[in-house]
Amino acid sequence: MLSRILSLFTVAGLTVAMAVGADIGETAKAESMNIPAIVMFFIFVAATLGVTYWASKRTKSAKDFYTAGGGITGTQNGTAIAGDYMSAASFLGITGMVYLKGYDGLIFSIGFLVGWPIILFMISEQLRNLGKYTFADVTAYRLKQKQVRILAALGSLSVVILYLIAQMVGAGQLIKILFGLNYEFAVVLVGILMILYVVFGGMLATTWVQIIKAVLLLAGTTFMSIMVMAKFGFSFDALFTRATEIHAQGVAIMSPGGLVSDPISAISLGIALMFGTAGLPHILMRFFTVADAKEARKSVFVATGLIGYFYVLTFIMGFGAIVLVLGDPAGSYLAADGVTLKGMNNMAAVWLAHAVGGDYFLGFISAVAFATILAVVSGLTLAGASAISHDLYANAFATSKVDEKKEMNVSKMATVAIGIAGIVFGIAFEKQNIAFVVALAFTIAASANFPVLFMSIFWKKLTTRGAVVGGYIGLISALMLVILGPGVWVDILGNASAIVPYSFPAVFSMPLAFMAIWFFSVTDKSDDAQRCMDAFDAQDIRCQTGIGADDANTSH
Amino acid sequence: MTKEHVQVIKNNPKYQHLVSTRSKFAWTLTIIMLVVYYAFILFIAFSPETLGTKISPDGMATWGIPIGIAIIVFAFVMTGVYVRRANSEFDGILNELKSDLKKEMN
């Protein structure tokens, strides 16, 4: 125990020393070094490492490590879920999209939000009642452990790695622009910090890092939105009028535009965003951190409120950025071409912070944006590590019964491995156009993870064969369709036009998965199929009532 | 859980009542949410100009904006509606069921 704490301090000290060293090294060449941002960021890092130290003393068992001992309250968990969901992609990406396209940004926000009520009505309590550490506990509840766990782990790890790439590349670019630090250094720093949080503090530290970050992010964006509205006498019409005068697209920004041009794209995007949310492993895992079904549903209520509020703010901020950043009389936020923003168009929210609050507030928002990435990658890494240690190691490949201690150690090693993978991918993908990764993550989540999870909870006749074949068909078709789509086939591979003209192909891959699950279940006449069906009633009773869920530790 | 336990619980009228009312309620809310969201998506797909109609001729705000915000608020309200009924009614039945079962199985 003591050695663990000591090593925590050593590594933490090293990180800070490295960072400071790099600060000094970089100062000479990077003139635009943002001192307030760096100071505020290190305050955040110091505070969260403090939380990690506190959490490390309370993280003893595997249950503590994976689920914070199940002792998180509904309100805390809801805030942490909101923290998980309000990633840098949401904060910078959606504000940037509103800034660029106006109304179309709101379409994405709504799609990201409407999955939540569905999760509440169909998934959250069921997960809490049936599962222990990962959503595969639910899908493998009455099916053959090994095959179903491997499928779930592959689905989870695909989503986790894709999301990690997006966050790591975002972190590197953000830090390069905001802090004036070097890209590789930023990626390595994020990787090391997330390994520290997760290895030492487990789910408890990860949860509190999320909560702290969510509160900071909501406070910062609230302030920005109020400042924007105050400039227009709290009149939306005045804000919109001024924005249409400044924006090159004029009044077109007030209505749905080119982003979702044809009906199939619009519907497919809707499906991917709505059902993808219900298949994200790092989100699903959060339902195991609360004590019971009642706290699980409270989590969703709180999360939906906070996320919805946040999306309304991103809309105001996007329009605020059109007026105050794009419309800045001195043009001080624009790149040399006079059209795009300094850095990238995703920086709209950050430059807006400067426009309404000056250097110090810019520093604050930069630090919050970085903290956001840090918190989200921690949640992702924990979910990925659990898939490796709990699903693959303990329940699929171990030849003898695995004790908790061993499983936890594997989980920590997996955390380090995923952290290193994140760093490597972050550096490898620096110059790539990674717009496709989030689309692919949501499509896989909606096409592989969600259908199997949903059918395992609600459909008595689901068999191992149906779940496994259907799950892989969902996973592979999602992958193939995205590769043949505009994000990879055109942007990465350089072909002239996409074979599949849809960025979010879930409208094809998700129904395909459901049909395959159905077909390969009803045609399954094996003994195992009968066993799976016979086991449904007992599963359903536990799912409906939670009876047996309290002693979840002994039932697997 | 033994086979006998499963049968006892399945045949309990309180259990049957809980499962049927709750699943009816959850599915109803799910379908309402899907209808609202996909109606919005279909407007974007087939008739974007409807959402782009101005609310008043001398302003800039279009109907799409209050409708979009209303869907966000509606989603939140729906979660509130579910949580409220689940906390009072469904948990009430569940607690009665659990205490019944304790008596029956001992």
Side-chain angles (χ1 to χ4, degrees):
Chain A
M1 187 66 209
L2 187 67
S3 66
R4 236 171 67 193
I5 295 163
L6 279 176
S7 61
L8 169 64
F9 275 123
T10 319
V11 188
L14 268 177
T15 315
V16 174
M18 263 173 60
V20 172
D23 284 359
I24 297 162
E26 293 282 314
T27 314
K29 47 186 174 177
E31 281 174 275
S32 57
M33 258 236 324
N34 184 337
I35 299 296
I38 292 176
V39 170
M40 277 183 258
F41 175 67
F42 277 104
I43 294 172
F44 174 83
V45 169
T48 48
L49 285 176
V51 168
T52 305
Y53 172 70
W54 164 82
S56 73
K57 292 195 292 187
R58 283 160 183 76
T59 302
K60 295 191 179 81
S61 64
K63 191 176 185 208
D64 295 334
F65 182 76
Y66 289 123
T67 67
I72 304 288
T73 69
T75 308
Q76 288 165 352
N77 191 39
T79 313
I81 289 174
D84 251 325
Y85 212 60
M86 297 183 295
S87 64
S90 290
F91 172 49
L92 302 175
I94 292 192
T95 311
M97 205 184 289
V98 175
Y99 166 83
L100 272 184
K101 315 243 180 188
Y103 191 80
D104 282 354
L106 187 62
I107 298 173
F108 268 78
S109 301
I110 292 169
F112 281 124
L113 187 77
V114 290
W116 285 103
I118 309 293
I119 289 179
L120 173 65
F121 309 148
M122 296 284 150
I123 304 272
S124 62
E125 295 178 46
Q126 288 80 352
L127 270 177
R128 173 58 283 178
N129 283 343
L130 289 175
K132 191 175 156 196
Y133 300 149
T134 65
F135 81 86
D137 292 338
V138 181
T139 57
Y141 193 89
R142 66 194 155 98
L143 307 181
K144 269 197 187 140
Q145 292 285 326
K146 188 166 177 176
Q147 286 114 308
V148 177
R149 295 263 182 192
I150 295 172
L151 166 73
L154 282 179
S156 299
L157 286 170
S158 310
V159 174
V160 164
I161 295 287
L162 289 164
Y163 243 87
L164 259 184
I165 292 174
Q167 302 292 328
M168 284 299 210
V169 172
Q173 288 169 346
L174 193 68
I175 289 166
K176 204 163 83 179
I177 297 160
L178 294 178
F179 296 73
L181 299 177
N182 152 303
Y183 179 92
E184 283 81 12
F185 170 74
V187 169
V188 172
L189 178 67
V190 170
I192 291 176
L193 284 170
M194 85 185 182
I195 290 172
L196 285 179
Y197 293 151
V198 177
V199 166
F200 293 101
M203 182 52 105
L204 188 59
T206 304
T207 302
W208 280 101
V209 170
Q210 290 289 17
I211 293 173
I212 294 170
K213 161 255 157 143
V215 170
L216 290 175
L217 183 60
L218 286 169
T221 49
T222 301
F223 173 77
M224 271 156 84
S225 305
I226 291 173
M227 292 298 281
V228 167
M229 293 313 294
K231 289 216 188 329
F232 294 92
F234 293 91
S235 155
F236 278 103
D237 239 7
L239 172 68
F240 294 147
T241 305
R242 188 80 189 102
T244 52
E245 287 164 14
I246 290 169
H247 202 286
Q249 290 170 24
V251 291
I253 59 170
M254 302 308 297
S255 45
L259 194 64
V260 268
S261 41
D262 65 295
I264 294 178
S265 287
I267 294 164
S268 198
L269 174 74
I271 288 177
L273 297 184
M274 187 178 220
F275 297 106
T277 306
L280 297 176
H282 60 298
I283 297 282
L284 296 175
M285 192 181 182
R286 293 226 54 95
F287 290 108
F288 305 122
T289 65
V290 293
D292 52 29
K294 185 174 182 176
E295 294 302 309
R297 53 181 178 254
K298 194 173 172 193
S299 310
V300 187
F301 175 68
V302 171
T304 310
L306 293 177
I307 296 166
Y309 170 70
F310 175 76
Y311 282 147
V312 174
L313 297 185
T314 59
F315 192 65
I316 297 172
M317 289 190 296
F319 272 90
I322 294 172
V323 174
L324 300 172
V325 174
L326 185 63
D328 180 60
S332 44
Y333 303 111
L334 299 179
D337 62 3
V339 185
T340 49
L341 288 175
K342 270 186 198 163
M344 44 188 167
N345 279 317
N346 270 355
M347 299 299 281
V350 176
W351 298 137
L352 179 66
H354 188 263
V356 301
D359 281 341
Y360 283 94
F361 191 64
L362 171 71
F364 175 76
I365 285 295
S366 308
V368 168
F370 194 22
T372 292
I373 292 172
L374 211 46
V376 171
V377 294
S378 304
L380 286 167
T381 304
L382 185 55
S386 317
I388 292 174
S389 60
H390 185 63
D391 295 333
L392 290 182
Y393 172 71
N395 287 299
F397 287 112
T399 42
S400 56
K401 184 104 180 79
V402 174
D403 71 76
E404 264 199 14
K405 200 102 203 147
K406 226 167 161 188
E407 184 178 331
M408 213 159 99
N409 284 339
V410 171
S411 200
K412 288 179 178 183
M413 287 190 281
T415 303
V416 176
I418 293 174
I420 293 170
I423 293 171
V424 171
F425 284 130
I427 292 170
F429 279 83
E430 178 185 359
K431 304 254 188 289
Q432 292 287 346
N433 182 335
I434 53 156
F436 75 94
V437 296
V438 172
L440 181 54
F442 268 82
T443 307
I444 289 177
S447 314
N449 302 351
F450 172 72
V452 176
L453 179 61
F454 185 84
M455 295 298 250
S456 70
I457 293 172
F458 290 102
W459 195 42
K460 181 173 181 160
K461 291 181 178 155
L462 176 74
T463 71
T464 306
R465 187 177 84 169
V468 170
V469 175
Y472 281 117
I473 286 180
L475 184 65
I476 292 164
S477 62
L479 195 63
M480 291 306 295
L481 290 167
V482 171
I483 289 175
L484 298 176
V488 177
W489 199 251
V490 179
D491 293 348
I492 302 259
L493 299 176
N495 294 294
S497 66
I499 295 173
V500 177
Y502 308 110
S503 302
F504 287 82
V507 73
F508 307 107
S509 53
M510 187 176 100
L512 197 64
F514 272 111
M515 279 187 288
I517 291 171
W518 169 79
F519 181 78
F520 288 98
S521 291
V522 293
T523 56
D524 187 353
K525 303 293 174 207
S526 62
D527 292 347
D528 178 64
Q530 195 54 49
R531 191 193 57 76
C532 293
M533 285 184 243
D534 291 344
F536 181 78
D537 284 347
Q539 175 197 305
D540 196 40
I541 286 171
R542 175 158 157 187
C543 176
Q544 300 279 359
T545 62
I547 293 171
D550 309 327
D551 44 287
N553 286 326
T554 52
S555 68
H556 281 282
Chain B
M1 209 176 294
T2 64
K3 277 213 167 89
E4 292 73 51
H5 283 165
V6 170
Q7 282 314 315
V8 168
I9 297 174
K10 261 182 84 175
N11 294 330
N12 184 305
K14 277 178 186 149
Y15 176 75
Q16 291 164 349
H17 175 63
L18 173 72
V19 170
S20 73
T21 44
R22 186 170 56 192
S23 83
K24 216 178 281 164
F25 187 55
W27 278 102
T28 309
L29 294 186
T30 301
I31 288 164
I32 292 172
M33 197 64 233
L34 290 174
V35 166
V36 167
Y37 177 56
Y38 284 100
F40 175 71
I41 289 289
L42 291 177
F43 265 111
I44 292 165
F46 292 104
S47 177
E49 60 281 358
T50 310
L51 293 170
T53 313
K54 281 186 187 178
I55 296 173
S56 81
D58 31 286
M60 263 300 149
T62 52
W63 279 108
I65 290 164
I67 289 172
I69 306 285
I71 294 174
I72 292 179
V73 174
F74 182 72
F76 176 57
V77 171
M78 293 286 275
T79 60
V81 167
Y82 178 84
V83 169
R84 212 184 137 131
R85 187 161 172 202
N87 279 351
S88 51
E89 188 183 330
F90 300 148
D91 276 1
I93 304 172
L94 185 60
N95 288 335
E96 285 173 33
L97 170 69
K98 279 181 179 166
S99 59
D100 281 10
L101 290 176
K102 233 177 220 154
K103 277 178 235 152
E104 271 178 66
M105 287 181 184
N106 283 341

